[in-house]
């Protein structure tokens, strides 16, 4: 009996080739397009409107001779992704909708629909790989980085569970992007030369401030510049009685007041900005570019500093609370008082960094060997052992 796979056809080249490869491997393949968004007023419409994408997905399905349908998940998407995003921005945190979209939509809502259609697996065009090992007589699934270092998307799947991985397939994970395009050309698929979509998962390119303004009202506030030489950065470190005290101290973000700098401009709402952001400040005349070093949504103030090495951007330690801590490999999770040497990243495409995990009663500290720029609350930190992603968490 042939195994049935439902492929999330997005109208892009990666998922198109994923469907073709599965067909070649003898699976019975069904193509499903997820419609997640209705509001075109905030999308930059010639950049990947869903209509064009669903049309391309349908043409690919026709070419491959596989059944195709569109499923409308916009209600669940609004509830689980969009509302969550607004909520996080309001709190002054910066969410990662792509990671959430994979956990909540593609490998949850969408996966349930696929399984109801009698699917054995769900496949996507992600550049990552899955492997299976046996441990204590039990099958364990590993999430591995994609073969293409430039395109590795394992980070976006850092919140998947063993149950979700069990049913997932990633057919292009063993290939390099140029090889994927070459296969699409050979098979005369309409998506062969299509540009990679940017922007929010399945919404396309969105003007983020306008998107946020739908819910979060503009509110004028000031932009303050803090000098690198400010004494806030030159305080002597206290003596710590133990490692825990030190980690706690180093994980704290700086808190600023208006007296720490000078007002250099105005903004329309602190909740539209994120740490490390350079664009959109509209303040000129500085020697080095200005970067956001902190946002205060309660007081509606943005604190900035000159240059990407401003001390206000750099930190060695971050914290993940227990309720936002996730192990893909639960069998490798560490207990209170234990440590683990890992490689970690705090954003997609960041080169992996040497780090140590420290498990404490309330959560987990991630201590980096080198100071990290713009550690941002609400984003995900993911950690790897070799090329395997073993766990992740939301930065508190």
């Amino acid at each position: 009996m042939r195994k049935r796979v439902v492929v999330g056809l997005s109208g892009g080249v990666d998922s198109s080739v994923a469907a073709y490869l599965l067909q070649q491997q003898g699976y019975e393949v069904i193509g499903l397009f997820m419609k997640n968004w209705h509001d075109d007023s905030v999308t930059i419409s010639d950049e990947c409107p869903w209509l064009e994408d669903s049309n391309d997905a349908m043409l690919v399905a026709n070419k491959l001779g596989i059944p195709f349908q569109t499923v409308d998940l916009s209600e669940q998407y609004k509830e689980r992704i969009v509302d969550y995003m607004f909520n996080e921005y309001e709190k002054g945190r910066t969410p990662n909708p792509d990671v959430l979209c994979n956990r909540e939509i593609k490998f949850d809502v969408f996966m349930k629909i696929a399984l109801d259609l009698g699917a054995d697996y769900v496949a996507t065009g992600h550049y990552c790989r899955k492997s299976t090992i046996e441990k204590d007589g039990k099958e364990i699934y590993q999430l591995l980085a994609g073969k293409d270092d430039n395109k590795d998307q394992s980070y976006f799947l850092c919140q998947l569970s063993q149950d979700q991985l069990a049913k997932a397939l990633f057919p292009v994970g063993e290939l390099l992007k140029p090889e994927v395009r070459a296969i699409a050309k050979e098979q005369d698929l309409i998506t062969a030369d299509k540009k990679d979509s940017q922007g929010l998962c399945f919404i396309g390119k969105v003007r983020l401030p306008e998107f946020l303004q739908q819910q979060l009202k503009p509110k004028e506030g000031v932009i303050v510049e803090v000098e690198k030489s400010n004494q806030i950065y030159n305080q002597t470190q206290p003596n710590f009685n133990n490692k825990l005290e030190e980690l706690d101290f180093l994980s704290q973000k700086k808190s600023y007041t208006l007296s720490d700098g000078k007002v250099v401009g105005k903004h329309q709402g602190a909740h539209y900005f994120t740490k490390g952001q350079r664009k959109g400040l509209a303040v000129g005349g500085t020697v080095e570019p200005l970067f956001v070093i902190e946002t205060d949504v309660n007081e509606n103030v943005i604190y900035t500093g000159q240059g990407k090495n401003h001390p206000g951007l750099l930190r060695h330690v971050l914290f993940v609370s227990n309720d936002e801590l996730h192990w893909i490999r639960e069998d490798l999770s560490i207990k209170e008082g234990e440590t683990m040497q890992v490689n970690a990243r705090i954003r997609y495409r960041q080169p992996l960094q040497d780090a140590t995990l420290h498990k404490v009663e309330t959560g987990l500290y991630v201590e980096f060997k080198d100071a990290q720029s713009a550690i941002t609350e609400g984003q995900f930190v993911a950690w790897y052992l070799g090329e395997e992603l073993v766990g992740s968490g939301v930065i508190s």
Side-chain angles (χ1 to χ4, degrees):
M1 186 69 179
R2 282 201 307 163
K3 296 263 189 206
R4 178 178 290 178
V5 184
V6 166
V7 180
L9 280 181
S10 66
V13 66
D14 302 325
S15 60
S16 306
V17 170
Y20 166 74
L21 292 172
L22 290 165
Q23 207 181 24
Q24 293 304 297
Q25 289 161 25
Y27 289 101
E28 178 198 343
V29 180
I30 296 172
L32 277 193
F33 177 82
M34 291 174 246
K35 183 182 177 193
N36 286 345
W37 195 241
H38 285 304
D39 183 358
D40 293 332
S41 66
V42 290
T43 44
I44 300 170
S45 53
D46 58 349
E47 292 269 5
C48 155
W50 70 269
L51 211 61
E52 191 186 311
D53 284 341
S54 71
N55 204 32
D56 288 347
M58 185 174 71
L59 291 169
V60 166
N62 286 347
K63 182 88 186 162
L64 296 176
I66 60 175
F68 174 79
Q69 67 186 67
T70 294
V71 287
D72 189 342
L73 306 181
S74 45
E75 209 173 296
Q76 294 96 321
Y77 191 89
K78 184 187 175 305
E79 201 176 290
R80 296 199 192 190
I81 311 298
V82 178
D83 291 353
Y84 172 85
M85 278 175 67
F86 286 135
N87 195 10
E88 288 284 279
Y89 276 110
E90 223 161 13
K91 288 192 221 154
R93 303 201 336 166
T94 306
N96 189 315
D98 292 299
V99 172
L100 281 169
C101 182
N102 285 314
R103 184 185 79 192
E104 299 288 331
I105 303 294
K106 288 184 208 161
F107 292 95
D108 188 45
V109 179
F110 183 75
M111 188 173 255
K112 287 186 176 115
I113 291 169
L115 298 177
D116 286 346
L117 290 171
D120 297 285
Y121 298 104
V122 162
T124 62
H126 282 105
Y127 284 83
C128 61
R129 292 169 298 147
K130 170 180 140 180
S131 179
T132 312
I133 55 170
E134 194 157 307
K135 190 172 171 182
D136 306 328
K138 211 172 112 185
E139 273 198 320
I140 288 176
Y141 301 99
Q142 296 177 296
L143 177 64
L144 307 174
K147 268 279 160 37
D148 190 334
D149 284 343
N150 278 322
K151 292 295 294 178
D152 168 38
Q153 291 173 315
S154 54
Y155 174 81
F156 289 135
L157 301 169
C158 68
Q159 287 276 297
L160 295 193
S161 66
Q162 283 290 311
D163 287 348
Q164 288 170 315
L165 267 180
K167 300 278 184 201
L169 295 176
F170 308 111
V172 301
E174 296 287 349
L175 301 172
L176 305 181
K177 183 76 184 204
E179 295 175 310
V180 169
R181 288 214 184 271
I183 291 169
K185 264 210 171 72
E186 270 162 36
Q187 298 310 314
D188 196 23
L189 300 179
I190 189 163
T191 51
D193 295 317
K194 192 170 173 180
K195 280 209 321 246
D196 288 350
S197 75
Q198 302 288 319
L200 295 182
C201 166
F202 281 105
I203 293 185
K205 264 212 155 149
V206 164
R207 293 188 180 90
L208 201 58
E210 286 170 38
F211 184 63
L212 292 172
Q213 274 163 14
Q214 293 180 329
Q215 295 269 336
L216 310 175
K217 294 286 162 266
K219 189 166 127 200
E220 189 170 89
V222 293
I223 299 174
V224 173
E225 185 191 334
V226 182
E227 297 281 345
K228 290 177 185 172
S229 56
N230 191 302
Q231 98 266 353
I232 202 167
Y233 304 122
N234 298 320
Q235 293 161 345
T236 42
Q237 279 196 13
N239 288 323
F240 304 112
N241 294 317
N242 52 44
K243 184 69 180 175
L244 191 56
E245 281 182 14
E246 184 190 355
L247 290 167
D248 184 53
F249 176 83
L250 293 174
S251 70
Q252 300 299 326
K253 60 180 192 174
K254 298 265 183 279
S255 64
Y256 300 96
T257 62
L258 290 172
S259 59
D260 289 321
K262 59 174 194 242
V263 173
V264 292
K266 290 204 159 79
H267 62 80
Q268 288 308 305
H271 43 263
Y272 300 142
F273 290 83
T274 182
K275 223 177 284 190
Q277 183 173 335
R278 186 180 143 184
K279 294 195 171 94
L281 287 165
V283 176
T286 55
V287 181
E288 292 184 89
L290 275 190
F291 288 83
V292 176
I293 57 172
E294 195 55 74
T295 60
D296 182 341
V297 289
N298 298 324
E299 298 297 324
N300 198 30
V301 180
I302 293 174
Y303 293 96
T304 61
Q306 284 190 43
K308 61 174 188 291
N309 292 320
H310 189 283
L313 282 171
L314 303 173
R315 217 161 82 205
H316 275 276
V317 181
L318 63 83
F319 182 70
V320 174
S321 65
N322 277 332
D323 58 342
E324 297 192 299
L325 175 60
H326 173 75
W327 289 89
I328 292 178
R329 289 287 305 275
E330 284 164 31
D331 57 307
L332 297 178
S333 66
I334 55 175
K335 295 180 181 62
E336 192 181 331
E338 293 181 339
T339 62
M340 182 189 260
Q341 299 299 314
V342 296
N343 296 112
R345 55 168 57 108
I346 54 172
R347 56 183 69 89
Y348 173 52
R349 299 195 81 147
Q350 180 194 22
L352 287 169
Q353 310 285 310
D354 290 342
T356 307
L357 306 181
H358 300 262
K359 183 72 184 82
V360 296
E361 188 189 348
T362 51
L364 182 93
Y365 287 103
V366 183
E367 180 183 23
F368 289 93
K369 185 177 157 202
D370 300 318
Q372 300 298 303
S373 179
I375 289 176
T376 306
E377 295 75 32
Q379 292 279 304
F380 289 88
V381 54
W383 49 90
Y384 295 71
L385 292 174
E387 52 179 9
E388 182 183 3
L389 198 167
V390 294
S392 68
V394 182
I395 299 169
S396 310

